[in-house]
Amino acid sequence: MANPMVMKLRAGTKLTEADCQQLEALTVKRREVPARTDLITESEAPLNVHLVLEGFACRYKTLPNGRRQIVAYLIPGDFCDLHVAVLGEMDHSIGTLAPSIVADIPSEDIIELTMTNPRLARALWWATLVDEGILREWLVGMGQRPAAQRLAHLLCELHARFDAVGHAADGSYHLPLTQSELADTLGMTTVHANRTLQLLRRGGYISTQGQMISIPDFARLSMFASFDPNYLHYINGETLGLPPGIKMRGTQT
Amino acid sequence: MANPMVMKLRAGTKLTEADCQQLEALTVKRREVPARTDLITESEAPLNVHLVLEGFACRYKTLPNGRRQIVAYLIPGDFCDLHVAVLGEMDHSIGTLAPSIVADIPSEDIIELTMTNPRLARALWWATLVDEGILREWLVGMGQRPAAQRLAHLLCELHARFDAVGHAADGSYHLPLTQSELADTLGMTTVHANRTLQLLRRGGYISTQGQMISIPDFARLSMFASFDPNYLHYINGETLGLPPGIKMRGTQT
DNA sequence: CGCCGCCTTGACCACCATCAAGTGGAGTGG
DNA sequence: CCACTCCACTTGATGGTGGTCAAGGCGGCG
């Protein structure tokens, strides 16, 4: 069984077999974390780097008035906090949304790896830049896309990301989120998240059974959301759910 | 006259005099750029790293339907694209909003500096993490804050950032933006940006004369916006416009 | 002088928030 | 085995924040 972190980095950078083994060696120390459990909270200063191997986690911030905004999803293969050793303290929290398996990697191991293997240094660099790209894209969605396209865009992105780590098949993937968590992600109320989901279902864009979500026609959903996967910076879009020959760039709803 | 980039890095990391001189040496090659000019556009792959020394620039993305979202402001001292050499191509564009002075730094110079001086490597790392923190905070605002607080929050942030590079005095700073650019930043229409500004003016939170904006009572505006500067990761908030002893954390409107 | 941005104002309307109530399934204890 | 609870999802009614459309004022500049 393949390591999702290695799969993800291979989707965006070129690595040798030896590189992959070095990466894999980082993830030996694993632990199970139940759903709805914080891994790190705001204003802490963590020692280990965390990596999601299975499950689903998120980055979030809570406002004084109690409202919460989820600012990133962390799916298998994603580092939670590759960086934060540089900063004094966290400016946000990280918590699981579903039962997960997490690897704890000592910061020193990461530092040593990047000092000795420039290809891996570049790969980790790449991963953080993709995270930043996703953040920008979410901001664009919040500012400019109406609810339905915002949701549709998120579902497209998740499909691509899950696919890159082998967690999507046949346009379907497992999305262990409540509608209220979706709402906190998309900046809308639970009620409206519900109605927006129904809209996409009635439009034939998606179908759901339990926590499985299926996208019968990915190109159609992409078009609706004007989803352009370039911000994920995978090496080629063709293997990642896009029918060959279809470039989304610049298409119009 | 101090170099804004050096000032900014000193606001967040500890540097020696020699470090500062090394940094300063990077910025010798300067050039003037008129307002509303792109420095890099989407899907390009730039060779130089750009740095804003004077003026005002932004990161933005344009949607197929023509709407634009500004996803970051680049003020004096900010690097535009410290990173992008790692990625194949840009997923967004960078352009000036006001007449600016920009330094072009060869990527290799940066790489050499970070290889030979770990304190500077850390400082640049820090700068990119702060950019990411700002991005997260903007996303939180978009998702959860109503228009008036969102604008107020942005004005607080800009005050802190301008202050860190010596461009704020007495709660005032120069903000060379049109209301329509503000609107593209805050995810609202020009009309509404105008009305929201009036609201803050009538509330006595801010006053404007031309492009100068003044904040008579920063603590009051902070409170209104529930602005907490921790995400900027400056070493101490006291020098940056916050009255000593006032910590915004957890205050409530 | 006249054009062109930018700011401003008014009227109207839609998207989405809020409030409230009801359904249904999963787990628990009597 | 069946209430009972809890939580996620669903639906309806109502209203407000902010979008859209349209027009007018004002200053700068050719």
Side-chain angles (χ1 to χ4, degrees):
Chain A
M1 171 203 124
N3 185 308
M5 182 263 284
V6 176
M7 283 186 77
K8 177 187 163 187
L9 295 183
R10 290 192 106 166
T13 61
K14 290 192 199 296
L15 298 177
T16 66
E17 280 306 317
D19 294 338
C20 295
Q21 279 164 25
Q22 279 189 281
L23 286 174
E24 188 121 21
L26 292 176
T27 67
V28 288
K29 218 178 100 191
R30 297 155 177 234
R31 87 189 135 99
E32 289 189 24
V33 182
R36 282 139 230 271
T37 307
D38 280 340
L39 297 176
I40 326 171
T41 59
E42 206 169 329
S43 68
E44 261 181 62
L47 298 171
N48 288 322
V49 171
H50 300 86
L51 169 63
V52 178
L53 288 166
E54 292 293 325
F56 206 100
C58 72
R59 240 179 260 289
Y60 68 93
K61 296 188 84 158
T62 309
L63 293 183
N65 62 20
R67 300 173 68 109
R68 172 178 72 160
Q69 176 68 44
I70 292 173
V71 296
Y73 285 151
L74 302 166
I75 70 168
D78 287 340
F79 287 96
C80 302
D81 44 15
L82 245 188
H83 38 286
V84 284
V86 173
L87 298 176
E89 56 176 49
M90 293 286 288
D91 57 24
H92 62 278
S93 305
I94 297 177
T96 58
L97 295 174
S100 303
I101 297 176
V102 172
D104 297 307
I105 309 172
S107 303
E108 306 89 57
D109 291 11
I110 299 274
I111 291 169
E112 206 205 310
L113 213 62
T114 57
M115 299 289 259
T116 56
N117 186 332
R119 254 190 327 278
L120 291 186
R122 190 188 175 89
L124 297 184
W125 216 190
W126 172 84
T128 69
L129 293 177
V130 170
D131 286 352
E132 220 182 294
I134 292 173
L135 207 45
R136 278 191 294 269
E137 193 62 40
W138 283 27
L139 185 63
V140 172
M142 286 292 221
Q144 306 301 340
R145 279 190 257 264
Q149 348 262 104
R150 196 150 81 246
L151 173 57
H153 196 277
L154 179 65
L155 296 177
C156 286
E157 177 190 305
L158 284 172
H159 176 79
R161 288 170 64 188
F162 275 124
D163 199 25
V165 292
H167 283 240
D170 235 24
S172 299
Y173 55 90
H174 177 71
L175 190 64
L177 290 176
T178 66
Q179 293 183 357
S180 137
E181 287 157 351
L182 252 188
D184 283 349
T185 307
L186 296 167
M188 55 178 95
T189 57
T190 309
V191 172
H192 203 63
N194 180 300
R195 295 189 164 124
T196 309
L197 273 169
Q198 292 181 44
L199 202 103
L200 292 189
R201 277 194 286 250
R202 269 188 264 111
Y205 291 106
I206 62 169
S207 64
T208 54
Q209 27 196 337
Q211 297 191 315
M212 283 306 280
I213 171 158
S214 303
I215 303 171
D217 184 345
F218 188 82
R220 183 157 167 267
L221 185 64
S222 290
M223 191 84 79
F224 175 73
S226 63
F227 173 73
D228 177 343
N230 72 323
Y231 70 98
L232 296 172
H233 294 282
Y234 294 135
I235 286 171
N236 55 352
E238 288 77 25
T239 62
L240 297 165
L242 281 182
I246 298 206
K247 282 290 275 182
M248 289 308 134
R249 186 84 46 81
T251 50
Q252 168 89 23
T253 43
Chain B
M1 171 205 122
N3 185 308
M5 181 263 284
V6 176
M7 284 188 76
K8 177 188 164 187
L9 295 183
R10 291 192 105 166
T13 61
K14 292 190 198 297
L15 298 176
T16 67
E17 279 307 318
D19 294 337
C20 296
Q21 278 164 27
Q22 278 189 281
L23 285 174
E24 189 121 22
L26 292 175
T27 67
V28 289
K29 220 178 97 190
R30 297 156 177 235
R31 89 191 133 98
E32 289 187 24
V33 181
R36 281 139 230 270
T37 307
D38 280 339
L39 298 176
I40 326 171
T41 59
E42 204 169 329
S43 69
E44 261 182 60
L47 297 171
N48 287 325
V49 172
H50 299 86
L51 169 63
V52 178
L53 288 166
E54 291 293 326
F56 205 101
C58 72
R59 239 179 259 291
Y60 67 94
K61 297 188 81 157
T62 310
L63 292 182
N65 62 21
R67 301 173 67 108
R68 172 178 72 158
Q69 175 68 43
I70 293 175
V71 296
Y73 286 150
L74 301 166
I75 71 167
D78 288 339
F79 287 97
C80 302
D81 45 15
L82 246 187
H83 39 283
V84 285
V86 173
L87 297 176
E89 56 176 50
M90 292 286 286
D91 57 24
H92 62 277
S93 305
I94 296 176
T96 57
L97 295 174
S100 304
I101 298 175
V102 172
D104 297 308
I105 309 172
S107 303
E108 308 88 56
D109 291 11
I110 299 275
I111 291 169
E112 205 206 312
L113 213 62
T114 57
M115 299 289 259
T116 56
N117 186 333
R119 252 190 329 278
L120 291 184
R122 189 189 176 88
L124 296 184
W125 215 191
W126 172 85
T128 70
L129 292 178
V130 170
D131 286 352
E132 222 183 292
I134 293 173
L135 206 44
R136 276 192 295 268
E137 193 61 39
W138 283 26
L139 185 63
V140 171
M142 286 293 216
Q144 306 299 343
R145 280 191 257 263
Q149 347 260 104
R150 196 150 81 247
L151 172 57
H153 196 277
L154 179 66
L155 296 177
C156 286
E157 176 190 308
L158 284 172
H159 175 78
R161 289 171 62 189
F162 275 125
D163 198 25
V165 293
H167 282 240
D170 236 25
S172 298
Y173 54 91
H174 177 70
L175 189 64
L177 290 176
T178 66
Q179 293 184 357
S180 137
E181 287 156 351
L182 252 189
D184 283 349
T185 307
L186 296 168
M188 57 178 96
T189 58
T190 308
V191 172
H192 204 63
N194 180 297
R195 295 190 164 126
T196 308
L197 273 169
Q198 292 182 43
L199 202 102
L200 292 188
R201 278 193 286 251
R202 269 188 265 110
Y205 291 107
I206 61 169
S207 65
T208 56
Q209 27 196 340
Q211 296 191 316
M212 283 305 279
I213 170 156
S214 304
I215 303 172
D217 183 347
F218 188 81
R220 182 157 168 267
L221 185 65
S222 289
M223 190 85 78
F224 176 72
S226 62
F227 173 72
D228 177 345
N230 72 322
Y231 70 98
L232 296 171
H233 295 283
Y234 294 134
I235 286 172
N236 55 351
E238 287 78 27
T239 63
L240 297 164
L242 281 183
I246 297 207
K247 282 291 276 182
M248 288 308 135
R249 186 80 50 75
T251 50
Q252 167 88 26
T253 43

